[in-house]
Amino acid sequence: MSSVFLAMVAPPSTAFAEGTDPSWASCSAQTVTVTVSATDPTPYTVRGRLCTAADSLRGAKTVELFVSGLTYDHNYFNSPTQPNTYSYVYAATSRGYSTFNIDRLGVGLSDHPPSSKLTLQSHAYVIAQIVQKLRTGVIGGISFVNVVGVGHSFGAAILQYLAGTTTNAATRPDFLVLQDFLMTTYAPGLAVLGSALYTAASDPAFASAGLDSGYITTMPNTRGTAFYRTAGAEAAMITMDESIKQTGTLTERSSLGAARNPAVTLAITVPVLITVGQYDTFYCDEPSGLTCATSAAVKTREGVNFGPRACLSTYVVLDGGHATGFHIKARDSYNFAHSWVDKYTINPVKDANGCVA
């Protein structure tokens, strides 16, 4: 059990079951002091769990940094339910990679600044600091050679924006695994999510947390419709998802579009893997021409937005909705991602653009 997560006092946390640490890895709670911009010196604390693997080819030099999506926290990447099937932390560490699974500012056990301070840009500024600290050994005492940014939805947007805007290579992840975030959206699907959101203070889980009116969350019993392809998910996982839900902010939503600026994505110079659910209603609708039927189709859709040094690869999670990590085929996508990371970090043979076949 991630008992240190449970013992920490931080604003606010719903009562939920915690994911367990993989027994084959060495895991520890970590706190990272960050700021949200170059002009705001206020210190905030990001909390996360570092799990290290001793594999000399993988975990000793490469760490996967997990960044969750809107209304999710660290539990998205380390499911409290059936972790051998659904936990990305389990999949990564069993493959031999180290992981750092964080709560972004504003969710879970990390600090909750005023909601107006939480934007795509401020989160990217925070993640840049964490990447640099993973490289220099400030977090856990290991100076990692490679940092793989793994983001879901809004977390993917943060990593995409960071990689396309930072001018400091030390703060840029070496590789990006971007889950469930595409450049072109399907408006009716996003409208379903929009109608499911309300002020977090109105929700029983957060009513006593003291959050300002800019914090939002999903109404009870709406996550199944918004985030799932029910034919591809177990009912127990949707129930679990409801029980571990977290918050987002209005400013996170309003700033999200900056990650889809082609000037940002075309400036990315590290290898990118995009994974998406076959039936993610935020991006996929066959009658509208927004196909997610195959990996090749997604690559055709997304490829124009990325330059040659992004070495774009794609993967479709069959029968997946938006929260692909909680769908039955989740582990298949993790295995594909780790084979992709293996190719780039273990004796890679690269072309002139830094791509591996």
Side-chain angles (χ1 to χ4, degrees):
M1 178 73 69
S2 302
S3 57
V4 182
F5 263 141
L6 289 169
M8 287 179 177
V9 177
S13 178
T14 55
F16 51 73
E18 273 292 323
T20 58
D21 290 332
S23 61
W24 51 85
S26 177
C27 301
S28 61
Q30 301 290 326
T31 60
V32 187
T33 301
V34 298
T35 58
V36 295
S37 78
T39 59
D40 184 349
T42 308
Y44 295 105
T45 299
V46 169
R47 292 181 169 86
R49 197 148 186 90
L50 179 69
C51 290
T52 57
D55 188 314
S56 61
L57 294 177
R58 295 180 177 88
K61 65 176 185 176
T62 300
V63 63
E64 300 185 9
L65 169 62
F66 296 133
V67 187
S68 63
L70 200 75
T71 74
Y72 286 100
D73 66 359
H74 66 277
N75 285 289
Y76 183 80
F77 291 106
N78 192 24
S79 169
T81 300
Q82 300 182 58
N84 285 310
T85 299
Y86 295 105
S87 170
Y88 209 131
V89 170
Y90 273 50
T93 52
S94 66
R95 186 69 169 242
Y97 286 102
S98 296
T99 62
F100 189 42
N101 189 18
I102 66 168
D103 281 341
R104 290 182 291 102
L105 288 180
V107 300
L109 299 176
S110 290
D111 285 349
H112 288 61
S115 64
S116 60
K117 290 190 176 187
L118 297 178
T119 64
L120 176 79
Q121 292 81 3
S122 66
H123 281 298
Y125 190 81
V126 168
I127 295 301
Q129 295 164 72
I130 293 173
V131 170
Q132 190 163 31
K133 290 179 179 184
L134 286 168
R135 295 191 192 283
T136 57
V138 173
I139 300 170
I142 302 172
S143 297
F144 290 102
V145 176
N146 301 309
V147 178
V148 182
V150 181
H152 170 243
S153 193
F154 182 63
I158 293 166
L159 291 165
Q160 182 166 290
Y161 183 82
L162 170 61
T165 59
T166 185
T167 57
N168 182 352
T171 67
R172 182 189 303 120
D174 301 282
F175 310 98
L176 299 179
V177 178
L178 306 178
Q179 296 182 324
D180 309 311
F181 185 77
L182 301 185
M183 294 287 280
T184 304
T185 61
Y186 179 56
L190 288 177
V192 172
L193 173 62
S195 66
L197 296 171
Y198 69 158
T199 304
S202 300
D203 193 279
F206 305 103
S208 62
L211 297 176
D212 69 58
S213 61
Y215 277 91
I216 55 177
T217 192
T218 51
M219 296 177 188
N221 302 314
T222 59
R223 297 174 80 83
T225 301
F227 298 145
Y228 285 84
R229 163 80 167 175
T230 54
E234 297 181 78
M237 294 304 294
I238 301 175
T239 300
M240 183 274 296
D241 192 335
E242 286 283 348
S243 76
I244 64 167
K245 74 177 182 182
Q246 283 290 314
T247 56
T249 71
L250 294 173
T251 45
E252 288 170 346
R253 289 197 78 204
S254 64
S255 61
L256 177 62
R260 293 194 172 98
N261 185 338
V264 170
T265 55
L266 288 169
I268 294 175
T269 58
V270 298
V272 175
L273 169 63
I274 293 174
T275 72
V276 66
Q278 181 182 8
Y279 297 102
D280 186 336
T281 57
F282 294 176
Y283 313 110
C284 312
D285 183 67
E286 293 290 332
S288 302
L290 298 175
T291 180
C292 297
T294 66
S295 298
V298 173
K299 188 170 184 178
T300 297
R301 281 182 59 179
E302 296 296 294
V304 68
N305 301 300
F306 293 86
R309 294 177 65 189
C311 309
L312 183 63
S313 296
T314 54
Y315 181 85
V316 168
V317 183
L318 297 179
D319 259 343
H322 184 65
T324 51
F326 291 158
H327 282 71
I328 292 169
K329 298 289 188 180
R331 191 63 180 254
D332 291 346
S333 70
Y334 304 160
N335 291 341
F336 184 91
H338 288 126
S339 293
W340 180 82
V341 175
D342 278 353
K343 289 196 301 181
Y344 276 98
T345 59
I346 302 175
N347 302 318
V349 178
K350 301 179 180 181
D351 65 17
N353 289 313
C355 306
V356 174

